[in-house]
Amino acid sequence: MLIHFNLDETYKRISKWYPILMTLIALSSSWAMEQEGKTEMLPSSSLAHSPSERQVVRILTIDGGGVRGVLPATILEGVEERLEAKLKEKVQLADCFDIMAGTSTGGIIVLGLNAGKSAEDLVKFYRDYGQTIFPPVSTWGKITSWAGPKYDAHPLEKILAEQLGDKWLSDSIGDVLIPADNMGEQCAYIFNSSRAKKLKSQNFRMKDVGRATSAAPTFFEAATIQDQKGEEHTFLDGGLYANDPTYEAIRRAEKKFPGCDLFIVSLGTGEPPRKFGDLSLKSGGKVAWAPKIADHLMGRHQDRHLKVLEGLKESLENQGRNVEYYRIQLPIEEVISDMDKAANIENLRQAGLFLLNPENPMGYYKTLKQIVSRLQDYKEKQLV
C-alpha cells in the first residue's frame, strides 16, 4: 500500500510551533538573568532575628520528566519507609513539608501526596499506568505525530480522575505550587493552593491541574480546563517555564515566612549523559531541530537555574541564614532516558532502589539518612 505523506503540510505545522519555541529560548535566558539579578536584592529581615527565633521552612520540589517520575517517587518511598520506622507510626509526607512544588510528572506526584496518597501509592501509579498513558507508538503513529500530538490525552485524564477524584486545589493538605504555561495569555502561570483557597478564579480540580502541568507540546494536546467559576483556560506543560520549580518554592517561602531558614529537598528525574562535542545540529533547520529543541531548551534552562540557586544560597547565607539544600539527581544511561517509554519504568525503579542502597558507595544513602533525620526532628516537635 502506498502511503501519501504531505510534507508541505507537515512543514507548516512545524513552522507554527517554531516561533513559539524560539521565543521560549529567549524568555528562558532573560528570565534566568533577571532572577539572578534579584538574588542581590533579597529581604534582609532575618538580620533582626537570632537563629533560635527563626523558623526553618521545609521545602520539597520535584522536576518534570515523564515516566522518569518513578525515580523521585521511589526516593520518596524510601524516605517514607524510614521515617515511619523511626516514628513507629504511619506518616503522610504532605504533613512533613511546609511548601511543595512540582512540575509536570513532579506536579502529579505533589498533587498525589496532597490528596492523601502515600509515596508507595505513587510508585504503583507509574508501574500500573505508565503503559496506558504512553502506549507503544506504531510507525504510522510516529509519522502522524509530526502533524499532531503523539499520544491521546484521554487515558491520562481518566487515570488522574480516578486517582485524584473531584478534589480541588484548595483541598490540598499543604502549601502547593504547580508551574504551567498559560497558552492563551502567553505567560508563565503558577497553580497556588493558598490563592486557590481565597479565589475561585484561582481554584481548579487537582486532576485538571495535573493534566495542565503535564501537557507537553508534541506529546499531548494543550489542556483546556475550568476554574471554580466555570471559566476556561488553556495550559501547556510547566517544564516550558520551570522544569525544576525550586526557585518558585523559595520565593513562596520568602513571602510567607520572611527571614526564614530553609531546608530544601529537590528531586530530579534522572540526567542522561551529555554528548560533548556533538555538532550534528550545527547546520540543522526546522525539521532537524523540531524533535530535539525541547530537551535542549530544558537542559540549558536547568544549567542556568542551578547557577541562580547557587547565587541565591550564597546571598541568604551572607544574611546569616541557614540553607540546607539536598539535590538528588541520578545519572542515567541514555537507553532509559526517554520520558515517554513506559518499558523503562522497571529499570528506572531499580536504579532508584540501587541509589538508596547502603552498600552502594556512589549512592545517596547518607543523604537519605540526613533528610529522614531532619524530618524526624520536625515531626517529633509537632507531637510535643
Side-chain angles (χ1 to χ4, degrees):
M1 180 179 73
L2 179 65
I3 299 175
H4 179 67
F5 184 63
N6 191 329
L7 187 59
D8 289 339
E9 182 62 27
T10 301
Y11 181 82
K12 290 178 183 176
R13 299 270 184 160
I14 296 172
S15 297
K16 182 173 70 173
W17 277 101
Y18 186 75
I20 297 174
L21 292 169
M22 290 297 101
T23 301
L24 285 168
I25 291 175
L27 286 175
S28 174
S29 178
S30 61
W31 175 86
M33 288 188 289
E34 176 189 351
Q35 306 310 320
E36 192 168 26
K38 286 182 181 177
T39 64
E40 302 301 322
M41 299 181 289
L42 287 168
S44 57
S45 55
S46 64
L47 300 177
H49 303 284
S50 67
S52 61
E53 294 174 327
R54 288 202 300 270
Q55 178 169 354
V56 178
V57 177
R58 287 154 183 83
I59 295 173
L60 172 67
T61 67
I62 310 175
D63 295 7
V67 298
R68 283 158 40 185
V70 74
L71 274 172
T74 297
I75 292 165
L76 288 173
E77 183 183 32
V79 171
E80 187 176 76
E81 288 175 354
R82 288 160 177 80
L83 193 54
E84 289 179 345
K86 291 277 189 182
L87 296 173
K88 295 180 173 56
E89 64 179 17
K90 292 293 289 183
V91 168
Q92 201 162 55
L93 285 181
D95 282 330
C96 297
F97 295 93
D98 301 297
I99 298 170
M100 286 155 281
T103 299
S104 195
T105 195
I108 291 174
I109 293 174
V110 166
L111 289 166
L113 292 175
N114 281 274
K117 299 285 184 183
S118 67
E120 182 182 6
D121 292 333
L122 294 166
V123 169
K124 193 172 185 296
F125 167 83
Y126 287 96
R127 300 175 82 180
D128 289 354
Y129 301 114
Q131 192 83 19
T132 304
I133 297 168
F134 296 108
V137 179
S138 66
T139 301
W140 176 244
K142 292 176 181 177
I143 293 173
T144 58
S145 69
W146 283 90
K150 189 175 181 180
Y151 299 102
D152 179 3
H154 289 102
L156 172 61
E157 292 168 353
K158 181 180 178 182
I159 292 166
L160 288 174
E162 291 171 354
Q163 296 298 308
L164 301 174
D166 288 326
K167 291 180 183 289
W168 292 93
L169 187 59
S170 58
D171 297 324
S172 296
I173 294 170
D175 197 336
V176 171
L177 304 172
I178 309 290
D181 184 279
N182 190 321
M183 192 176 186
E185 297 183 14
Q186 294 287 295
C187 65
Y189 184 86
I190 299 285
F191 292 100
N192 183 321
S193 62
S194 294
R195 288 203 303 258
K197 295 177 191 296
K198 301 173 184 176
L199 300 169
K200 288 185 177 181
S201 62
Q202 302 287 310
N203 200 17
F204 298 81
R205 300 280 186 190
M206 281 191 179
K207 61 184 179 183
D208 293 335
V209 176
R211 170 70 176 91
T213 191
S214 58
T218 75
F219 288 101
F220 295 112
E221 182 180 0
T224 298
I225 61 176
Q226 289 187 349
D227 60 32
Q228 197 173 7
K229 292 174 65 177
E231 296 179 1
E232 288 191 344
H233 310 264
T234 299
F235 295 99
L236 291 168
D237 193 295
L240 294 173
Y241 163 48
N243 200 55
D244 175 351
T246 303
Y247 186 84
E248 293 302 328
I250 294 174
R251 286 182 62 195
R252 173 63 181 154
E254 285 293 298
K255 184 175 181 180
K256 189 175 181 180
F257 308 102
C260 61
D261 287 339
L262 299 174
F263 170 80
I264 305 167
V265 179
S266 175
L267 305 180
T269 55
E271 183 176 15
R274 300 194 181 191
K275 296 180 179 179
F276 296 105
D278 181 7
L279 302 177
S280 59
L281 293 173
K282 179 180 178 181
S283 303
K286 296 176 183 178
V287 173
W289 271 101
K292 299 182 179 181
I293 197 167
D295 287 341
H296 185 86
L297 171 63
M298 286 193 287
R300 300 300 80 76
H301 183 279
Q302 181 64 12
D303 291 345
R304 192 70 168 163
H305 175 77
L306 292 175
K307 288 181 180 179
V308 171
L309 285 181
E310 185 179 340
L312 175 59
K313 183 174 182 292
E314 182 179 350
S315 177
L316 292 171
E317 289 173 342
N318 286 340
Q319 295 178 21
R321 296 161 63 179
N322 185 45
V323 180
E324 290 183 71
Y325 175 60
Y326 297 94
R327 173 69 175 170
I328 299 181
Q329 178 69 297
L330 173 67
I332 57 175
E333 296 295 329
E334 187 172 3
V335 69
I336 60 171
S337 65
D338 289 347
M339 293 186 287
D340 61 333
K341 194 171 182 180
N344 292 335
I345 289 176
E346 285 307 315
N347 286 332
L348 288 164
R349 160 88 170 146
Q350 291 306 312
L353 291 172
F354 185 62
L355 185 78
L356 303 177
N357 189 327
E359 297 180 4
N360 176 12
M362 302 299 290
Y364 282 89
Y365 183 72
K366 184 178 179 181
T367 301
L368 179 69
K369 285 182 65 177
Q370 290 172 324
I371 292 170
V372 170
S373 177
R374 298 291 280 113
L375 293 178
Q376 179 186 0
D377 290 344
Y378 176 56
K379 291 296 291 182
E380 287 176 342
K381 286 178 183 177
Q382 280 186 320
L383 296 173
V384 174

